[in-house]
Amino acid sequence: DNASGTAAVLELALRLANSPMRRPVLLVHFGAEELGLYGSKAFVLNAPAPADSMVAMFNFDMIGQLRSRRLQLRALESARDWDRVVDSVRADGRLAVERVRDPDPMRAQSDHLSFALMGVPVMHFFTGTHGAYHTRNDTVDRLDVDGILAVIDYAERVIRRVGDGVRVPT
């Protein structure tokens, strides 16, 4: 289920390398999410920088099937100013941004949870589950490539807003 997120991180790496931001950025891929977030847990415990110096973590888990043009932003409870950041970044006509509030954000089953537990503000970009999720029928022909690009374009604007200086207090 993470192939779309992996592709997004690779595309963002190219874009950010070609036009760096003021703040340094780490682009990281994790493994073993479904087994218990092992990859992201190992990273936060052995990170190249202390968690209190990390400004934000952006998670791209399952962004390959943008239905009804709806991009869900999750885990916004992790920082008081996420709403202000999201308000400051306009979505173009290719997608509608939906802020999903979770009454229990610490039950998340994606890699951003490992960072949230360390006090790092997180934002999860997500286009929802689908019938082929976690089956062998979840094949490349089901991807919405234009939708993935719309999510990447929007996410890049959010990341640049934070990477160029917006403070995100927890």
Side-chain angles (χ1 to χ4, degrees):
D1 65 274
N2 281 332
S4 58
T6 298
V9 170
L10 292 172
E11 176 61 21
L12 286 164
L14 287 172
R15 293 178 184 195
L16 298 176
N18 287 328
S19 180
M21 297 176 294
R22 286 185 27 218
R23 288 190 169 120
V25 175
L26 294 174
L27 296 148
V28 183
H29 290 109
F30 305 110
E33 176 208 42
E34 283 83 8
L35 298 175
L37 307 177
Y38 292 143
S40 57
K41 284 179 185 176
F43 180 84
V44 297
L45 293 174
N46 301 288
D52 63 0
S53 71
M54 294 180 193
V55 174
M57 185 276 196
F58 299 97
N59 186 12
F60 299 91
D61 185 10
M62 293 195 48
I63 61 163
Q65 295 197 22
L66 186 68
R67 290 177 298 281
S68 302
R69 300 178 343 169
R70 285 186 26 227
L71 168 65
Q72 296 178 7
L73 295 181
R74 295 179 167 268
L76 300 178
E77 301 84 3
S78 66
R80 289 188 313 257
D81 277 6
W82 274 144
D83 282 322
R84 183 174 57 85
V85 171
V86 172
D87 288 343
S88 73
V89 178
R90 299 186 79 183
D92 60 27
R94 296 179 296 164
L95 54 84
V97 175
E98 176 186 359
R99 300 169 206 210
V100 177
R101 304 292 180 187
D102 190 335
D104 183 10
M106 293 308 177
R107 70 180 176 98
Q109 295 299 309
S110 192
D111 289 308
H112 62 276
L113 179 60
S114 298
F115 290 79
L117 291 171
M118 299 293 286
V120 176
V122 297
M123 185 182 296
H124 180 196
F125 295 84
F126 184 64
T127 59
T129 59
H130 49 81
Y133 177 60
H134 280 170
T135 74
R136 66 176 173 224
N137 296 322
D138 194 2
T139 55
V140 70
D141 57 298
R142 293 179 175 269
L143 290 175
D144 176 359
V145 176
D146 290 334
I148 293 171
L149 289 171
V151 171
I152 293 169
D153 290 345
Y154 176 76
E156 180 184 9
R157 291 192 302 276
V158 170
I159 291 168
R160 286 190 180 283
R161 184 86 172 115
V162 173
D164 281 334
V166 171
R167 186 169 171 271
V168 185
T170 54

